[in-house]
Amino acid sequence: MARKRSNGEGAIYKRESRGRWEAALVVGYGDDGRPIRRTFTGKTRAMVAQKLDAAKVAIDHGLDVPDNKTTVASFVEWWLDNVLPGEGLAPKTERWYRDILETYVLPAVGQRTLTGPKALTPADVETMTASLTRNGLSHRVADASRTALGKVLRAAEQRGLVGRNVARLAKAPRDRGRARKIKAYTVIEIRAILDALADTRWYPMVVVGVTTGLRPGELLALHWPDVRLDGREPRVSVRHAITHAGGAGLKAPKRARSYRTVPLTPEAVIALKAWRKVQAAERLRAGELWSNDWPDLLFTNEAGEPQRVDTFRHILGRAHAGAHPHRLRHSYATHLLEAGTPIHHVGELLGDSVATIEHTYSHVLRAKHEVVDVARGLVAAP
């Protein structure tokens, strides 16, 4: 007598009316205790057996069973609601993923499925990015769309819903635009900005920003305990960054290496000591109207609240055409590199990797052929 197969083994049979092989497997149980079955179909018994085995392996590993009816759109919606909030990203970054996926990715490939005959392929992803650039969108948008989709499919891959991440297998969109150069301010331009902002609350921000290379969000998140103005080695320590996504708040710096200490110049020390007196006078004048939500915040407005990066950008733009807070950081880095500061020291001060410094500031680093010429001097005949 043949042994009866248990629910966990599944059953394979041929449905004569459709001329196809089918398999049924119990993949779980509903709230009412009734079994939930998944059916797999194929032209041959071997194809069905393969799908059945893959489903059983997924169940054994605690993963979801692949379903060729699950569309990219439905999985993205689930990912946005259930996975993205637990990624520990800043609110602004979460909103970026949501916007990229909903605006660019889903209209192009949302109707494709994760598996099955209509499954998303690397060619579909490449077609999506090519279409975006062909329609006048930037290379950055096209590349961001591929990146965001790859992050979603990574979650599907981890859960056994797909066997491969087709977004990462797809070719990255080519950047046919001009290479972007980071333009640093000249000494004359810095002087012009400082003169335009003299005797304003923005003056010390510019002085500290251009002499420390802090990111704008790091600069505006500084607290007085982060700053040492007296002693032989005045310095500033980066411990936070400011964010205004969903209301003003503090977040961790961009990366682990972004936690760092940067020396302060005498000019920055003088500017900060003067600002400390101004801030104390403003606090006394405001009285009960002064915000107690931000104790010890260094750069505040007249009510003791944080300054916004976009406000800082607007002020700089009025002081000097095309000025931007991030260019203060680039000016600091460019000046150090042109002065011959070792690249790894610059990376430590900026909180960036050596690779990032090389890529961003390649135009101010010595060309590789010059390095070769120097190295030849070690062995070349005189």
Side-chain angles (χ1 to χ4, degrees):
M1 182 177 178
R3 180 178 65 87
K4 184 178 179 180
R5 298 169 66 90
S6 65
N7 285 335
E9 296 181 30
I12 300 177
Y13 50 89
K14 187 173 184 180
R15 187 174 293 276
E16 298 295 344
S17 61
R18 299 180 60 187
R20 297 179 66 84
W21 286 88
E22 294 186 1
L25 178 68
V26 174
V27 297
Y29 294 88
D31 295 336
D32 57 359
R34 300 177 63 179
I36 300 173
R37 290 184 173 84
R38 179 70 58 79
T39 301
F40 310 94
T41 63
K43 293 182 178 180
T44 66
R45 191 182 193 283
M47 292 175 59
V48 172
Q50 185 177 15
K51 294 179 180 180
L52 182 62
D53 290 340
K56 290 191 289 186
V57 169
I59 292 175
D60 290 341
H61 287 80
L63 303 174
D64 295 325
V65 177
D67 182 357
N68 59 15
K69 295 181 181 179
T70 301
T71 63
V72 172
S74 62
F75 188 77
V76 166
E77 182 180 357
W78 175 86
W79 183 86
L80 288 172
D81 292 339
N82 297 277
V83 178
L84 181 60
E87 292 286 288
L89 303 175
K92 185 177 180 180
T93 306
E94 285 192 20
R95 188 168 65 245
W96 178 87
Y97 274 109
R98 187 177 297 275
D99 291 344
I100 289 292
L101 290 167
E102 293 179 347
T103 306
Y104 305 111
V105 175
L106 294 187
V109 298
Q111 75 282 4
R112 307 296 287 183
T113 58
L114 295 182
T115 59
K118 296 182 180 180
L120 184 69
T121 66
D124 293 328
V125 180
E126 293 168 6
T127 299
M128 174 189 72
T129 56
S131 176
L132 291 173
T133 54
R134 189 167 54 248
N135 290 334
L137 294 168
S138 68
H139 166 266
R140 295 184 67 183
V141 169
D143 194 48
S145 299
R146 172 177 168 270
T147 299
L149 179 58
K151 190 173 181 66
V152 171
L153 293 180
R154 181 184 178 189
E157 191 176 26
Q158 291 171 334
R159 287 162 176 79
L161 297 178
V162 297
R164 58 180 186 162
N165 190 327
V166 297
R168 297 190 176 185
L169 293 174
K171 294 180 181 178
R174 294 180 60 185
D175 186 0
R176 300 181 183 276
R178 294 181 178 179
R180 294 185 304 148
K181 284 189 176 182
I182 305 299
K183 185 178 180 181
Y185 294 120
T186 64
V187 174
I188 295 177
E189 289 174 324
I190 291 294
R191 190 68 261 166
I193 293 174
L194 291 174
D195 288 344
L197 298 177
D199 300 323
T200 72
R201 65 191 329 101
W202 308 100
Y203 179 88
M205 295 185 203
V206 175
V207 174
V208 176
V210 80
T211 58
T212 62
L214 268 62
R215 298 178 178 90
E218 297 170 343
L219 179 67
L220 299 185
L222 288 175
H223 287 61
W224 285 109
D226 301 329
V227 179
R228 177 177 176 177
L229 300 180
D230 300 312
R232 296 181 57 186
E233 298 180 356
R235 58 185 180 270
V236 59
S237 298
V238 177
R239 300 186 298 120
H240 306 288
I242 200 79
T243 177
H244 288 274
L250 296 177
K251 64 177 183 178
K254 191 172 184 179
R255 299 181 182 87
R257 66 172 68 94
S258 298
Y259 291 93
R260 63 197 188 279
T261 298
V262 183
L264 286 172
T265 65
E267 293 77 10
V269 171
I270 294 172
L272 287 176
K273 286 184 176 180
W275 166 245
R276 186 164 55 187
K277 294 179 181 179
V278 172
Q279 187 186 56
E282 288 186 342
R283 181 169 187 170
L284 185 62
R285 189 162 52 246
E288 294 182 356
L289 298 179
W290 186 267
S291 174
N292 292 318
D293 296 333
W294 297 87
D296 294 325
L297 186 66
L298 199 155
F299 294 120
T300 54
N301 61 18
E302 295 86 344
E305 298 170 337
Q307 295 285 7
R308 296 180 61 95
V309 174
D310 53 0
T311 303
F312 189 24
R313 180 172 63 247
H314 177 70
I315 295 296
L316 281 179
R318 288 197 305 180
H320 184 81
H324 191 285
H326 218 78
R327 286 182 64 186
L328 300 176
R329 172 178 170 85
H330 296 319
S331 302
Y332 174 76
T334 300
H335 180 75
L336 292 180
L337 292 169
E338 289 181 338
T341 306
I343 189 171
H344 65 279
H345 287 169
V346 177
E348 291 174 358
L349 292 169
L350 292 180
D352 275 331
S353 66
V354 170
T356 298
I357 300 299
E358 289 179 336
H359 176 74
T360 307
Y361 301 98
S362 59
H363 58 290
V364 294
L365 296 174
R366 295 189 68 178
K368 291 185 177 180
H369 68 83
E370 295 182 28
V371 175
V372 171
D373 290 341
V374 173
R376 281 192 63 207
L378 297 172
V379 294

